[in-house]
PDB file of all heavy atoms in Angstrom:
ATOM      1  N   ARG Q  83      32.879  21.720 -37.396  1.00 90.00           N
ATOM      2  CA  ARG Q  83      32.024  22.072 -36.263  1.00 90.00           C
ATOM      3  C   ARG Q  83      32.266  21.152 -35.066  1.00 90.00           C
ATOM      4  O   ARG Q  83      32.340  21.590 -33.923  1.00 90.00           O
ATOM      5  CB  ARG Q  83      30.553  22.006 -36.683  1.00 90.00           C
ATOM      6  CG  ARG Q  83      30.104  23.136 -37.586  1.00 90.00           C
ATOM      7  CD  ARG Q  83      30.219  24.465 -36.911  1.00 90.00           C
ATOM      8  NE  ARG Q  83      29.688  25.543 -37.752  1.00 90.00           N
ATOM      9  CZ  ARG Q  83      29.847  26.833 -37.476  1.00 90.00           C
ATOM     10  NH1 ARG Q  83      30.539  27.186 -36.399  1.00 90.00           N
ATOM     11  NH2 ARG Q  83      29.339  27.750 -38.269  1.00 90.00           N
ATOM     12  N   LEU Q  84      32.395  19.867 -35.331  1.00 89.00           N
ATOM     13  CA  LEU Q  84      32.616  18.923 -34.230  1.00 89.00           C
ATOM     14  C   LEU Q  84      34.016  19.090 -33.651  1.00 89.00           C
ATOM     15  O   LEU Q  84      34.224  18.896 -32.451  1.00 89.00           O
ATOM     16  CB  LEU Q  84      32.418  17.485 -34.711  1.00 89.00           C
ATOM     17  CG  LEU Q  84      31.019  17.099 -35.162  1.00 89.00           C
ATOM     18  CD1 LEU Q  84      30.904  15.580 -35.304  1.00 89.00           C
ATOM     19  CD2 LEU Q  84      29.958  17.602 -34.206  1.00 89.00           C
ATOM     20  N   HIS Q  85      34.968  19.439 -34.486  1.00 83.00           N
ATOM     21  CA  HIS Q  85      36.337  19.633 -34.010  1.00 83.00           C
ATOM     22  C   HIS Q  85      36.415  20.802 -33.033  1.00 83.00           C
ATOM     23  O   HIS Q  85      37.282  20.829 -32.156  1.00 83.00           O
ATOM     24  CB  HIS Q  85      37.274  19.876 -35.191  1.00 83.00           C
ATOM     25  CG  HIS Q  85      38.727  19.873 -34.817  1.00 83.00           C
ATOM     26  ND1 HIS Q  85      39.396  18.719 -34.474  1.00 83.00           N
ATOM     27  CD2 HIS Q  85      39.631  20.882 -34.712  1.00 83.00           C
ATOM     28  CE1 HIS Q  85      40.655  19.009 -34.179  1.00 83.00           C
ATOM     29  NE2 HIS Q  85      40.820  20.313 -34.326  1.00 83.00           N
ATOM     30  N   GLN Q  86      35.505  21.760 -33.171  1.00 78.00           N
ATOM     31  CA  GLN Q  86      35.452  22.868 -32.225  1.00 78.00           C
ATOM     32  C   GLN Q  86      35.029  22.402 -30.840  1.00 78.00           C
ATOM     33  O   GLN Q  86      35.341  23.043 -29.836  1.00 78.00           O
ATOM     34  CB  GLN Q  86      34.485  23.944 -32.726  1.00 78.00           C
ATOM     35  CG  GLN Q  86      34.959  24.658 -33.992  1.00 78.00           C
ATOM     36  CD  GLN Q  86      33.894  25.575 -34.570  1.00 78.00           C
ATOM     37  OE1 GLN Q  86      32.753  25.605 -34.111  1.00 78.00           O
ATOM     38  NE2 GLN Q  86      34.265  26.350 -35.578  1.00 78.00           N
ATOM     39  N   THR Q  87      34.310  21.269 -30.789  1.00 73.00           N
ATOM     40  CA  THR Q  87      33.851  20.733 -29.512  1.00 73.00           C
ATOM     41  C   THR Q  87      34.875  19.792 -28.900  1.00 73.00           C
ATOM     42  O   THR Q  87      35.091  19.792 -27.687  1.00 73.00           O
ATOM     43  CB  THR Q  87      32.516  19.981 -29.702  1.00 73.00           C
ATOM     44  OG1 THR Q  87      31.574  20.867 -30.310  1.00 73.00           O
ATOM     45  CG2 THR Q  87      31.972  19.490 -28.375  1.00 73.00           C
ATOM     46  N   ALA Q  88      35.523  18.976 -29.728  1.00 73.00           N
ATOM     47  CA  ALA Q  88      36.501  18.009 -29.228  1.00 73.00           C
ATOM     48  C   ALA Q  88      37.437  17.589 -30.352  1.00 73.00           C
ATOM     49  O   ALA Q  88      37.015  17.444 -31.496  1.00 73.00           O
ATOM     50  CB  ALA Q  88      35.791  16.780 -28.663  1.00 73.00           C
ATOM     51  N   ALA Q  89      38.708  17.408 -29.993  1.00 72.00           N
ATOM     52  CA  ALA Q  89      39.697  16.943 -30.954  1.00 72.00           C
ATOM     53  C   ALA Q  89      39.694  15.415 -30.953  1.00 72.00           C
ATOM     54  O   ALA Q  89      40.125  14.792 -29.988  1.00 72.00           O
ATOM     55  CB  ALA Q  89      41.074  17.480 -30.599  1.00 72.00           C
ATOM     56  N   ILE Q  90      39.187  14.830 -32.010  1.00 80.00           N
ATOM     57  CA  ILE Q  90      39.065  13.375 -32.099  1.00 80.00           C
ATOM     58  C   ILE Q  90      39.740  12.907 -33.382  1.00 80.00           C
ATOM     59  O   ILE Q  90      39.534  13.487 -34.450  1.00 80.00           O
ATOM     60  CB  ILE Q  90      37.580  12.941 -32.105  1.00 80.00           C
ATOM     61  CG1 ILE Q  90      36.922  13.354 -30.792  1.00 80.00           C
ATOM     62  CG2 ILE Q  90      37.452  11.446 -32.307  1.00 80.00           C
ATOM     63  CD1 ILE Q  90      35.441  13.068 -30.749  1.00 80.00           C
ATOM     64  N   ARG Q  91      40.534  11.865 -33.272  1.00 79.00           N
ATOM     65  CA  ARG Q  91      41.225  11.325 -34.431  1.00 79.00           C
ATOM     66  C   ARG Q  91      40.214  10.746 -35.437  1.00 79.00           C
ATOM     67  O   ARG Q  91      39.220  10.151 -35.049  1.00 79.00           O
ATOM     68  CB  ARG Q  91      42.193  10.224 -33.982  1.00 79.00           C
ATOM     69  CG  ARG Q  91      43.055   9.653 -35.103  1.00 79.00           C
ATOM     70  CD  ARG Q  91      43.952   8.557 -34.574  1.00 79.00           C
ATOM     71  NE  ARG Q  91      44.821   9.054 -33.508  1.00 79.00           N
ATOM     72  CZ  ARG Q  91      45.642   8.262 -32.813  1.00 79.00           C
ATOM     73  NH1 ARG Q  91      45.672   6.954 -33.044  1.00 79.00           N
ATOM     74  NH2 ARG Q  91      46.408   8.789 -31.871  1.00 79.00           N
ATOM     75  N   ASN Q  92      40.498  10.963 -36.697  1.00 83.00           N
ATOM     76  CA  ASN Q  92      39.663  10.443 -37.794  1.00 83.00           C
ATOM     77  C   ASN Q  92      38.237  10.986 -37.767  1.00 83.00           C
ATOM     78  O   ASN Q  92      37.302  10.329 -38.252  1.00 83.00           O
ATOM     79  CB  ASN Q  92      39.619   8.912 -37.772  1.00 83.00           C
ATOM     80  CG  ASN Q  92      40.979   8.283 -38.013  1.00 83.00           C
ATOM     81  OD1 ASN Q  92      41.774   8.805 -38.788  1.00 83.00           O
ATOM     82  ND2 ASN Q  92      41.254   7.169 -37.351  1.00 83.00           N
ATOM     83  N   LEU Q  93      38.075  12.188 -37.236  1.00 88.00           N
ATOM     84  CA  LEU Q  93      36.735  12.763 -37.150  1.00 88.00           C
ATOM     85  C   LEU Q  93      36.120  12.955 -38.531  1.00 88.00           C
ATOM     86  O   LEU Q  93      34.910  12.798 -38.709  1.00 88.00           O
ATOM     87  CB  LEU Q  93      36.796  14.096 -36.398  1.00 88.00           C
ATOM     88  CG  LEU Q  93      35.472  14.763 -36.054  1.00 88.00           C
ATOM     89  CD1 LEU Q  93      34.575  13.825 -35.255  1.00 88.00           C
ATOM     90  CD2 LEU Q  93      35.714  16.060 -35.280  1.00 88.00           C
ATOM     91  N   TRP Q  94      36.947  13.251 -39.524  1.00 91.00           N
ATOM     92  CA  TRP Q  94      36.408  13.453 -40.872  1.00 91.00           C
ATOM     93  C   TRP Q  94      35.812  12.153 -41.422  1.00 91.00           C
ATOM     94  O   TRP Q  94      34.822  12.185 -42.148  1.00 91.00           O
ATOM     95  CB  TRP Q  94      37.497  13.987 -41.801  1.00 91.00           C
ATOM     96  CG  TRP Q  94      38.591  13.015 -42.111  1.00 91.00           C
ATOM     97  CD1 TRP Q  94      39.715  12.780 -41.374  1.00 91.00           C
ATOM     98  CD2 TRP Q  94      38.660  12.132 -43.236  1.00 91.00           C
ATOM     99  NE1 TRP Q  94      40.489  11.812 -41.962  1.00 91.00           N
ATOM    100  CE2 TRP Q  94      39.873  11.400 -43.110  1.00 91.00           C
ATOM    101  CE3 TRP Q  94      37.831  11.887 -44.329  1.00 91.00           C
ATOM    102  CZ2 TRP Q  94      40.256  10.437 -44.037  1.00 91.00           C
ATOM    103  CZ3 TRP Q  94      38.219  10.932 -45.256  1.00 91.00           C
ATOM    104  CH2 TRP Q  94      39.417  10.224 -45.109  1.00 91.00           C
ATOM    105  N   LEU Q  95      36.406  11.024 -41.038  1.00 93.00           N
ATOM    106  CA  LEU Q  95      35.845   9.749 -41.467  1.00 93.00           C
ATOM    107  C   LEU Q  95      34.484   9.498 -40.823  1.00 93.00           C
ATOM    108  O   LEU Q  95      33.562   8.992 -41.468  1.00 93.00           O
ATOM    109  CB  LEU Q  95      36.796   8.606 -41.102  1.00 93.00           C
ATOM    110  CG  LEU Q  95      38.009   8.397 -42.018  1.00 93.00           C
ATOM    111  CD1 LEU Q  95      38.916   7.309 -41.441  1.00 93.00           C
ATOM    112  CD2 LEU Q  95      37.578   8.044 -43.426  1.00 93.00           C
TER     113      LEU Q  95
END
Side-chain angles (χ1 to χ4, degrees):
R83 287 298 184 190
L84 295 193
H85 189 72
Q86 293 172 353
T87 304
I90 297 175
R91 184 181 301 175
N92 296 324
L93 187 56
W94 68 274
L95 281 175

